[in-house]
C-alpha cells in the first residue's frame, strides 16, 4: 500500500483531471453569453475519475482515523 503522501498526490492528480474534463464539457453559447451548453463527451472517464477520487478520499480518512 502507498504512503499517505503518495495517495494525496494521486488524489490531487485525479481531481485536477476531473476538473479539466468538467471545464471542457461546459462551453458558453456565443449568441447570448448566458447559456451554458453541456456536451457529455467524456462521461465514462468522468465517472471513473469521480469513483477514484471517492475511493482515495475514503482511504485518506481511514488513514487519518488510524493515526488518532
Amino acid at each position: 500500500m502507498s504512503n499517505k503522501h503518495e495517495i494525496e498526490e494521486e488524489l490531487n492528480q485525479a481531481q485536477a483531471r476531473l476538473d479539466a474534463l468538467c471545464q471542457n464539457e461546459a462551453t458558453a453559447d456565443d449568441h447570448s453569453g448566458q447559456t451554458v451548453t453541456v456536451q457529455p463527451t467524456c462521461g465514462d472517464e468522468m465517472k471513473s475519475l469521480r469513483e477514484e477520487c471517492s475511493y482515495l478520499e475514503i482511504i485518506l480518512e481511514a488513514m487519518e482515523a488510524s493515526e488518532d
Side-chain angles (χ1 to χ4, degrees):
M1 181 179 234
S2 300
N3 69 32
K4 185 176 178 179
H5 177 71
E6 291 171 339
I7 294 172
E8 288 172 335
E9 184 61 32
E10 191 175 340
L11 175 59
N12 289 336
Q13 290 174 0
Q15 187 62 53
R17 178 70 180 139
L18 179 58
D19 292 345
L21 287 175
C22 289
Q23 183 65 34
N24 289 337
E25 291 279 310
T27 57
D29 184 349
D30 293 333
H31 300 297
S32 68
Q34 296 176 357
T35 304
V36 174
T37 305
V38 177
Q39 300 172 345
T41 58
C42 302
D44 291 337
E45 186 176 3
M46 290 171 71
K47 180 182 177 198
S48 175
L49 285 167
R50 282 188 182 103
E51 290 172 354
E52 180 180 355
C53 288
S54 178
Y55 176 72
L56 293 170
E57 288 169 350
I58 290 169
I59 292 172
L60 287 172
E61 288 175 10
M63 291 176 88
E64 290 174 9
S66 71
E67 291 174 356
D68 292 341

